[in-house]
Amino acid sequence: MNNFLEVFLLSLIPTFEGRYAIVYGIGMGYPLWETLLSASLGVLLLSFLLPALLPYIDRLMLWLEGTFLRKVAHLYLYYVERVRKKAHPYVEKWGFIGLTIFVAIPLPGTGVWTGALAAYLLAIGRKQTVPALILGGLLSMAITLLPALGLFG
């Protein structure tokens, strides 16, 4: 498989994302610029695509209310509305910066996938979500790049 494509596809996997795709690419001896570019493209694609697709979950749940799964749909919609109401003051205060920091932390369970889902659940607008996901994803890559290059040891 092409090195560029391999790192790009790895950068799309939840929890792996760009931050660990660059570590993999560097570990495999792939050219640094190629690894960074392909992982960055993966972060960009996820940052635009996920916020655009997640609202369809609500539409699906609204549709499911008319089926035998209405209890599941109702529970989901109730939970999302409750989370949004409780989190609203925090989102108003920390929205962009909080989401950026959350995505930038290079630990499993954080990252672009989880950040996009959190932004969706907390009703952070796309105008804030997309730049926060991009910036956080790229910062996460930078944080993992330095040790991968051996700059700390």
Side-chain angles (χ1 to χ4, degrees):
M1 184 186 298
N2 181 336
N3 300 347
F4 187 90
L5 182 61
E6 189 175 353
V7 172
F8 174 74
L9 292 175
L10 287 173
S11 73
L12 300 177
I13 297 173
T15 68
F16 205 77
E17 299 175 1
R19 58 189 171 202
Y20 299 127
I22 60 170
V23 173
Y24 174 82
I26 290 169
M28 294 297 289
Y30 299 159
L32 180 61
W33 68 269
E34 186 178 289
T35 299
L36 290 174
L37 178 63
S38 59
S40 298
L41 288 175
V43 166
L44 288 173
L45 179 65
L46 288 176
S47 296
F48 284 107
L49 195 60
L50 291 175
L53 294 178
L54 285 172
Y56 290 103
I57 294 172
D58 281 351
R59 290 183 184 177
L60 174 65
M61 291 301 162
L62 289 171
W63 178 79
L64 286 176
E65 280 189 318
T67 69
F68 68 96
L69 293 172
R70 68 181 146 280
K71 288 185 180 185
V72 173
H74 179 72
L75 181 65
Y76 168 82
L77 292 168
Y78 169 77
Y79 176 75
V80 167
E81 189 58 36
R82 190 169 158 241
V83 166
R84 286 177 176 161
K85 282 181 183 176
K86 282 185 144 188
H88 183 73
Y90 303 105
V91 170
E92 288 293 315
K93 184 174 183 179
W94 297 103
F96 177 81
I97 292 173
L99 184 59
T100 301
I101 291 169
F102 176 78
V103 173
I105 297 170
L107 294 172
T110 65
V112 178
W113 278 89
T114 310
L117 183 59
Y120 167 71
L121 289 175
L122 299 175
I124 300 174
R126 252 190 240 168
K127 288 183 179 181
Q128 279 189 326
T129 299
V130 172
L133 294 177
I134 292 170
L135 183 59
L138 295 177
L139 283 171
S140 181
M141 285 173 47
I143 291 168
T144 55
L145 175 65
L146 299 176
L149 293 174
L151 297 178
F152 293 118

